[in-house]
Amino acid sequence: MEMQEQLRKIQEEALAQLAQIDDKAGLDALKLRLMGKKGELTLLRRSMGQIPAEDRPKAGQMINEVVAALTAQMDALDERLKAREQEKKLAREAIDVTEPRKHTPIGMQHPISLVQDQMLGVFTSMGFDVVEGPEVEYDLYNFELMNIPKNHPARDAQDTFYIEDNVVLRTHTSPVQARTMLTRKPPIRIVCPGRVYRADEVDATHSPVFHQMEGLVVGEDVTMADLKGTLDAFAQKLFGQDVTTRFRPSFFPFTEPSAEVDLTCVNCHGKGCRVCKGTGWIEVLGAGMVNPKVLEMCGIDSRKYSGFAFGVGLERIAMLRYGITDMRALFEGDVRFLSQFRDD
Ligand code: PHE
């Protein structure tokens, strides 16, 4: 039977070709050649009219079988080609998550901000509120209500930047004490961080602008022991358990009695070294019991209430904490220097 022979040939050739085909275009071409409008199998099916009627069902069945077999093979190849294409695509789009990233510099906290945050953490955990005041301040708050008399040397233009006769750049954070006492009733427990200004020449330990943190506690039965306990806790939390405070008599117009407060030298732990000039102690802050005159001027009954106050220089604390020997490094903004410090 001629048609049978033809069919066998077509199938054989198709299978041989199928084994060679490597891409979609090749597969499409083969499909078209076999089953397109003028495809070999299409034409063969069309030519069925020419064979005797009794042979037709058999012939039709044979064609169908070959079409089904080839279609199955071509579909399988199509699947394989698609899978290969997908693999290639995934390989092309693969991301190497282990590849090191480009260096992206990120900002660091300034050492002054670091110690300020550490100190605020210590004091807020002891129940202190954080209060801020203006840097451009009235003479009234900076001096008058702090019991600093008109003829006091601190008021001299050599020490104080004047904006107007009655307006200065605050020389300390103490005016925030007055602002708070005038607006809040005891019990008061606040710390006040901020910038302060003095007409100083720049050197390794001085700058015309620097930072302080003021502390103020006012209540019934507040004593010097409370001041000592508070400052001891602060010193230990910031510098370690073996650090303690020593009070030396001093004078501030707004406190009575007043003290200069030393810490155990954080460098030699009290043995005596270059940092503490052999004494084992380093001076870090001023403190005292709020002068009753200040309480009264700020509207607080000094027979009922007492208080303590302290003022700490943040540059001093940062220098001690991080072993910085020249204060200018804190103001120059050299990123190579500043990026060395982090909270720990
Ligand atoms: N205001 C003082 C200063 O700037 C520090 C201080 C504050 C002292 C509070 C005693 C009490 O030197």
Side-chain angles (χ1 to χ4, degrees):
M1 188 182 190
E2 199 196 333
M3 199 204 74
Q4 198 174 354
E5 181 56 25
Q6 247 179 309
L7 199 55
R8 198 188 51 79
K9 240 180 97 190
I10 292 173
Q11 187 174 21
E12 232 168 55
E13 271 177 27
L15 286 174
Q17 202 155 22
L18 213 51
Q20 307 286 320
I21 290 175
D22 197 36
D23 59 9
K24 181 103 168 72
L27 182 61
D28 287 344
L30 179 64
K31 243 184 227 171
L32 193 68
R33 218 186 72 206
L34 294 172
M35 298 165 193
K37 258 199 198 149
K38 290 187 177 151
E40 293 168 6
L41 290 169
T42 316
L43 294 178
L44 203 60
R45 212 195 286 277
R46 242 183 250 157
S47 70
M48 290 233 299
Q50 290 157 20
I51 57 175
E54 66 268 27
D55 290 340
R56 270 182 221 154
K58 182 101 194 305
Q61 198 195 340
M62 274 163 37
I63 294 177
N64 284 348
E65 275 170 15
V66 170
V67 168
L70 287 176
T71 304
Q73 295 261 9
M74 288 192 293
D75 285 352
L77 178 62
D78 196 31
E79 284 302 315
R80 285 202 300 280
L81 289 174
K82 273 192 190 138
R84 202 182 64 185
E85 219 23 71
Q86 177 72 4
E87 256 171 52
K88 274 195 201 154
K89 186 165 177 251
L90 287 177
R92 256 197 325 271
E93 292 174 359
I95 294 168
D96 179 3
V97 292
T98 66
E99 186 174 322
R101 69 184 171 83
K102 291 209 187 73
H103 176 67
T104 322
I106 55 164
M108 310 286 293
Q109 265 192 297
H110 190 282
I112 296 294
S113 302
L114 285 173
V115 295
Q116 178 173 304
D117 283 358
Q118 288 156 8
M119 288 168 60
L120 288 178
V122 169
F123 287 112
T124 54
S125 76
M126 289 196 267
F128 284 71
D129 287 342
V130 181
V131 177
E132 287 179 302
E135 291 172 27
V136 178
E137 184 57 285
Y138 289 107
D139 178 291
L140 174 70
Y141 298 106
N142 195 79
F143 293 128
E144 209 65 48
L145 292 173
M146 285 294 107
N147 195 35
I148 299 172
K150 285 267 188 277
N151 59 354
H152 195 281
R155 290 195 174 206
D156 199 295
Q158 282 212 316
D159 296 307
T160 305
F161 289 113
Y162 278 86
I163 304 285
E164 289 169 16
D165 272 357
N166 285 322
V167 181
V168 299
L169 291 180
R170 66 178 177 189
T171 59
H172 51 181
T173 41
S174 300
V176 190
Q177 286 191 36
R179 286 178 172 272
T180 306
M181 286 189 275
L182 286 165
T183 52
R184 285 199 195 185
K185 286 194 173 61
I188 292 169
R189 218 187 284 149
I190 56 159
V191 277
C192 325
R195 266 192 284 270
V196 300
Y197 302 82
R198 285 182 204 172
D200 279 328
E201 292 292 331
V202 176
D203 66 25
T205 53
H206 292 88
S207 160
V209 47
F210 57 103
H211 300 75
Q212 284 189 337
M213 189 177 294
E214 193 82 7
L216 173 70
V217 171
V218 180
E220 289 177 42
D221 303 322
V222 174
T223 70
M224 201 132 182
D226 298 316
L227 170 61
K228 170 93 169 134
T230 303
L231 292 179
D232 278 345
F234 153 71
Q236 280 159 10
K237 288 231 177 89
L238 234 78
F239 293 105
Q241 283 303 315
D242 62 336
V243 173
T244 176
T245 63
R246 177 178 80 167
F247 283 39
R248 283 180 290 107
S250 184
F251 175 80
F252 298 103
F254 35 91
T255 48
E256 181 59 37
S258 302
E260 299 278 5
V261 180
D262 300 340
L263 294 190
T264 315
C265 177
V266 297
N267 188 52
C268 64
H269 300 273
K271 286 198 272 302
C273 68
R274 193 177 37 83
V275 175
C276 59
K277 299 193 183 78
T279 63
W281 296 96
I282 30 186
E283 186 189 322
V284 289
L285 58 101
M289 300 307 291
V290 181
N291 191 323
K293 266 174 88 177
V294 171
L295 291 176
E296 293 294 335
M297 281 191 285
C298 294
I300 290 176
D301 184 349
S302 64
R303 285 161 309 175
K304 190 167 175 207
Y305 296 107
S306 55
F308 68 72
F310 57 87
V312 196
L314 298 190
E315 280 74 9
R316 182 109 175 96
I317 299 293
M319 289 168 77
L320 288 172
R321 190 152 161 68
Y322 296 117
I324 299 166
T325 49
D326 191 328
M327 189 156 130
R328 285 168 286 203
L330 291 171
F331 296 103
E332 279 164 356
D334 184 335
V335 176
R336 291 167 303 180
F337 169 77
L338 293 174
S339 62
Q340 301 174 70
F341 306 99
R342 60 196 78 220
D343 212 345
D344 49 27

